Amino acid sequence: MIKVIFQPDQLKDKVEMFETSSLRELEDRISKKIDDNQAILLDVHRVSHQLTIDPTTGKKIYTAVVHFKKR
């Protein structure tokens, strides 16, 4: 059995990536993660987003990368 000990004071930054088929869902998922990360004292440092079209289906794919840093 492996035990993982989480120590939030050692967490200085992290990057999370998101991919959805709608802009609204992407916004909702990022907003929830912002709330979650504020609980461990991380704020948004930078957000990068992109819209691409799946060449096989023609559907839109919304992606984002959010960089969180310690306050």
Side-chain angles (χ1 to χ4, degrees):
M1 177 180 192
I2 298 174
K3 279 191 174 181
V4 176
I5 299 172
F6 180 71
Q7 296 176 334
D9 58 329
Q10 292 182 354
L11 188 60
K12 302 215 185 306
D13 67 339
K14 74 177 185 174
V15 174
E16 297 200 41
M17 292 167 239
F18 305 90
E19 181 179 304
T20 66
S21 58
S22 79
L23 185 57
R24 180 47 139 183
E25 184 182 350
L26 184 65
E27 291 172 341
D28 291 345
R29 289 179 62 195
I30 291 171
S31 181
K32 182 183 178 329
K33 278 299 185 175
I34 289 171
D35 292 341
D36 292 347
N37 284 313
Q38 284 179 340
I40 56 172
L41 304 177
L42 293 175
D43 290 325
V44 174
H45 177 65
R46 181 170 289 140
V47 177
S48 221
H49 56 87
Q50 185 172 354
L51 166 65
T52 57
I53 306 293
D54 184 329
T56 57
T57 64
K59 293 184 178 182
K60 295 178 182 177
I61 301 171
Y62 297 90
T63 59
V65 177
V66 182
H67 182 187
F68 295 92
K69 284 192 114 174
K70 189 166 182 119
R71 294 181 187 167

